[in-house]
Amino acid sequence: DTEVTQTPKHLVMGMTNKKSLKCEQHMGHRAMYWYKQKAKKPPELMFVYSYEKLSINESVPSRFSPECPNSSLLNLHLHALQPEDSALYLCASSQLGNTIYFGEGSWLTVV
Amino acid sequence: GDSVTQMEGPVTLSEEAFLTINCTYTATGYPSLFWYVQYPGEGLQLLLKATKADDKGSNKGFEATYRKETTSFHLEKGSVQVSDSAVYFCALSGLGAQKLVFGQGTRLTINP
């Protein structure tokens, strides 16, 4: 069973707030990902963790801060976001070099 | 670099019609190919995949065949249903790569 669980499903935050998105998988996958998806566009890769170490950062602004506390968890810390950061944030996981499975996403609105 | 070109949408069909969504790719080596589906308000779900030439992926009545000679991975379904209304993304991943390269997505609407 392939399942990636994301919380919260919806988040509204002000530009001065600090919040976090959370992601969990119990498939034993050693790679975890954050993607950002704007309306009517494909997902864009933000970060990749391999064996709990950051392996790819696609030049994401520092107001987005990823964290991988262990092999099952992935967080995305949000601070001082802008309205244009409003989007669907997708977490995903995979075995290294294998099929990537996505979660249901967290809908973020920055006001 | 690697790229995926998808048939532009939106595509509107009647229930029970035959569906084809075209996908072609450019890549070095032998990538894996995927179709993901995104239902309204949801995340991406893996629909099917193929990892080598001439492989056919299939799921829920959808099929796609990895054609290396034409660098294509077209999605087909013989008889669509209203519940198939969604956005479909073709994607590739290079050998050992940690990145998916997506097409632009095709919005499919099925009318009863």
Side-chain angles (χ1 to χ4, degrees):
Chain A
D1 190 16
T2 57
E3 188 169 311
V4 177
T5 304
Q6 292 188 241
T7 56
K9 190 165 178 64
H10 297 276
L11 177 63
V12 179
M13 61 184 291
M15 289 187 283
T16 59
N17 291 161
K18 285 185 180 181
K19 297 286 186 183
S20 297
L21 305 179
K22 298 185 183 298
C23 176
E24 188 169 8
Q25 58 89 13
H26 292 290
M27 296 176 282
H29 290 170
R30 302 313 302 267
M32 296 188 77
Y33 310 76
W34 281 114
Y35 282 80
K36 173 182 177 180
Q37 188 181 22
K38 300 285 278 186
K40 300 186 178 182
K41 295 291 186 182
E44 297 175 358
L45 183 64
M46 300 174 72
F47 302 104
V48 181
Y49 274 82
S50 299
Y51 291 94
E52 297 133 63
K53 293 191 188 310
L54 184 65
S55 60
I56 296 177
N57 177 342
E58 293 285 5
S59 302
V60 178
S62 60
R63 57 186 183 269
F64 295 92
S65 176
E67 178 196 19
C68 190
N70 60 53
S71 60
S72 300
L73 294 175
L74 185 66
N75 299 322
L76 186 63
H77 303 299
L78 313 170
H79 174 53
L81 295 191
Q82 303 298 310
E84 59 265 29
D85 296 321
S86 298
L88 177 65
Y89 288 84
L90 293 161
C91 177
S93 71
S94 74
Q95 294 292 11
L96 289 174
N98 215 317
T99 303
I100 295 174
Y101 296 94
F102 288 85
E104 288 293 312
S106 292
W107 292 90
L108 174 67
T109 303
V110 182
V111 298
Chain B
D2 296 350
S3 66
V4 175
T5 301
Q6 250 183 272
M7 168 180 179
E8 288 193 23
V11 174
T12 302
L13 296 172
S14 298
E15 207 165 19
E16 299 183 3
F18 184 86
L19 169 71
T20 300
I21 300 178
N22 289 338
C23 172
T24 57
Y25 68 90
T26 302
T28 54
Y30 302 93
S32 294
L33 302 174
F34 306 88
W35 278 100
Y36 286 89
V37 58
Q38 188 170 33
Y39 298 102
E42 298 187 8
L44 268 69
Q45 297 179 25
L46 177 68
L47 181 59
L48 53 84
K49 68 178 183 180
T51 58
K52 62 183 187 296
D54 300 325
D55 266 3
K56 177 186 283 188
S58 61
N59 186 26
K60 301 182 181 179
F62 291 90
E63 293 183 340
T65 301
Y66 189 141
R67 301 286 189 200
K68 186 160 177 59
E69 62 277 12
T70 55
T71 61
S72 65
F73 193 54
H74 304 320
L75 182 68
E76 296 182 335
K77 187 175 184 182
S79 176
V80 292
Q81 305 300 312
V82 172
S83 57
D84 293 327
S85 298
V87 179
Y88 292 80
F89 291 99
C90 185
L92 69 80
S93 177
L95 182 63
Q98 292 182 290
K99 289 187 180 185
L100 279 170
V101 177
F102 285 97
Q104 287 303 303
T106 301
R107 181 173 298 277
L108 174 66
T109 301
I110 307 301
N111 293 321

